[in-house]
């Protein structure tokens, strides 16, 4: 609980919390709510903990927002915001467009120019492994060369624009995730006094 309180206090001071810290805050809020539910359930006797129970203030709204938005330490849900869902939909579309275009390389007449029948990535860009002797047969940008020099990893001209769009969308996704974490952290900061009880 000390880590959670420390995270809430940092959020109160304006820090952006990590997904794991937010998950831990949601877990503490869930535990507090469960304890409060237990303490107020058909109990006809008093205990020495009643005073402590009385100080618990549930924040189910914040608990639910965190739980809905953060699936794991490194996975933010599409549903965390409409903007994130839209960006990820566009990323899927761009990926599919690139893969469909590149299928004509790995499954068509140009297959003979490739070292292997596959699509791979270099520097975050989709490329095909072209045999060095056929370099001029596949128009595009060379992103890497195999250690033997026999294979060039070429980004065909036909996917350059889509790859650029994918890069832009990845940056937008990072920014939106940062905005989501910032907003959730801000709410945790506002609830700091409750979390720190």
């Amino acid at each position: 609980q000390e880590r959670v309180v420390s995270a809430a206090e940092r959020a109160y001071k304006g820090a952006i919390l990590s997904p794991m810290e937010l998950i831990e805050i949601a877990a503490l809020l869930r535990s507090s709510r469960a304890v409060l539910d237990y303490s107020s359930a058909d109990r006809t006797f008093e205990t020495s903990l009643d005073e402590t129970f009385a100080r618990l203030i549930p924040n189910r709204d914040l608990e639910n927002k965190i739980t809905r938005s953060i699936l794991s330490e490194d996975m933010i849900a599409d549903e965390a915001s409409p903007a994130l869902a839209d960006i990820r939909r566009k990323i899927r579309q761009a990926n599919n467009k690139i893969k469909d275009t590149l299928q004509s390389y790995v499954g068509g007449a140009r297959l003979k120019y490739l070292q292997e029948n596959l699509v791979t990535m270099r520097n975050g860009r989709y490329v095909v492994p072209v045999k060095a002797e056929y370099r001029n047969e596949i128009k595009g940008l060379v992103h890497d060369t195999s250690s033997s020099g026999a294979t060039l990893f070429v980004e065909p001209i036909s996917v350059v624009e889509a790859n650029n769009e994918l890069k832009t969308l990845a940056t937008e996704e990072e920014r939106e995730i940062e905005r989501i974490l910032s907003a959730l952290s801000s709410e945790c900061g506002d609830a700091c006094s409750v979390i720190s009880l």
Side-chain angles (χ1 to χ4, degrees):
Q1 182 177 335
E2 236 176 80
R3 277 177 31 177
V4 175
V5 170
S6 169
E9 287 171 352
R10 284 185 23 259
Y12 179 73
K13 294 174 183 171
I16 296 176
L17 303 181
S18 71
M20 193 66 223
E21 289 172 316
L22 290 164
I23 289 170
E24 289 171 349
I25 286 174
L28 178 65
L29 291 170
R30 189 170 35 260
S31 297
S32 297
R33 182 172 47 79
V35 167
L36 196 60
D37 289 348
Y38 164 78
S39 73
S40 59
D42 300 329
R43 215 164 28 88
T44 56
F45 56 92
E46 291 185 12
T47 73
S48 58
L49 294 174
D50 286 350
E51 188 180 319
T52 303
F53 291 156
R55 292 199 323 251
L56 293 175
I57 304 169
N59 190 335
R60 191 156 197 172
D61 184 47
L62 178 57
E63 174 194 333
N64 287 342
K65 272 186 192 175
I66 294 171
T67 305
R68 261 194 331 266
S69 299
I70 303 175
L71 303 177
S72 71
E73 189 173 350
D74 52 6
M75 175 81 73
I76 307 300
D78 289 3
E79 296 76 27
S81 79
L84 185 61
D86 186 52
I87 291 165
R88 288 188 173 162
R89 181 184 53 77
K90 288 176 181 172
I91 287 173
R92 285 190 292 275
Q93 287 173 342
N95 270 312
N96 290 338
K97 183 179 173 183
I98 291 167
K99 287 175 183 171
D100 289 347
T101 302
L102 292 180
Q103 270 311 114
S104 68
Y105 287 85
V106 298
R110 292 176 273 208
L111 181 57
K112 63 186 174 193
Y113 304 134
L114 303 185
Q115 197 67 261
E116 291 179 75
N117 179 15
L118 61 80
V119 173
T120 186
M121 290 194 94
R122 287 293 186 278
N123 306 317
R125 317 278 293 187
Y126 283 100
V127 296
V128 289
V130 178
K131 294 175 185 172
E133 63 268 27
Y134 293 121
R135 167 62 189 101
N136 295 326
E137 300 300 325
I138 306 281
K139 301 294 181 225
L141 308 171
V142 177
H143 283 279
D144 200 3
T145 307
S146 65
S147 54
S148 66
T151 307
L152 304 174
F153 295 93
V154 178
E155 176 185 12
I157 289 295
S158 57
V159 296
V160 168
E161 192 175 315
N163 265 329
N164 288 343
E165 181 188 359
L166 206 51
K167 277 283 205 195
T168 301
L169 288 167
T171 302
E172 286 179 27
E173 180 186 29
E174 283 176 31
R175 275 199 216 110
E176 181 58 15
I177 287 172
E178 189 77 8
R179 191 201 63 73
I180 290 163
L181 294 177
S182 177
L184 289 172
S185 298
S186 178
E187 285 196 51
C188 289
D190 292 343
C192 178
S193 57
V194 173
I195 295 167
S196 301
L197 282 175

